[in-house]
Amino acid sequence: MSDLPPLPVTFRPSRTRAVLLTAGVAIFVVITTVAMLLEQLSPGERLSFVFTAALLAGVLFLLSRPKVVADESGVTVVNIAGRRRLAWAEIIQVNLRPGDPWVFLNLSDGTSLPALGIQPGIAKQRAIADARALRALAEARSTARPDEDQG
């Protein structure tokens, strides 16, 4: 297939990531500024404001973490709290059905792995194009076929 993206390629929800990172920084700056401007707060109370701001920003930064990295030897799926490395042969099918919140990878061991790095959220057409590209890469590089693993 000639329209395969060159490897390595990283798929991630760029617009969603930009919104989350911007919101995280803005929340941290606003809450910290408010804590410093309120004169009636004790140092401990100010510290708790800053800690809360850092915690909220940290959650948003974690939510911006997902990505899918494809290279010559396989795919690395980075989700919010975990990372998993897959060989191309382990990926049987790449699915992004209407209404799915993100791509699901059907694996040769019979399980399904969510790949949050490709999600239709804000940029639906981009997610569809990314899912098609990953599907084409998986089909071109995988030695396993869905009809071989059923039975």
Side-chain angles (χ1 to χ4, degrees), residues 58-125:
V59 168
L60 293 177
F61 294 162
L62 269 177
L63 291 173
S64 72
R65 184 174 181 251
K67 65 182 176 180
V68 177
V69 181
D71 59 32
E72 292 293 335
S73 61
V75 174
T76 302
V77 177
V78 179
N79 287 332
I80 294 169
R83 172 188 302 259
R84 184 161 174 198
R85 179 74 183 160
L86 301 165
W88 285 111
E90 291 180 79
I91 302 170
I92 301 298
Q93 193 173 29
V94 177
N95 287 318
L96 180 60
R97 297 175 301 254
D100 279 351
W102 40 71
V103 161
F104 288 91
L105 304 177
N106 291 339
L107 305 179
S108 59
D109 65 2
T111 63
S112 182
L113 176 68
L116 280 63
I118 303 175
Q119 51 183 266
I122 296 174
K124 184 177 182 179
Q125 294 307 315

Side-chain angles (χ1 to χ4, degrees), residues 23-44:
V25 170
I27 286 171
F28 181 80
V29 168
V30 168
I31 292 175
T32 301
T33 302
V34 168
M36 297 304 145
L37 292 176
L38 291 174
E39 295 174 6
Q40 69 270 26
L41 294 180
S42 71

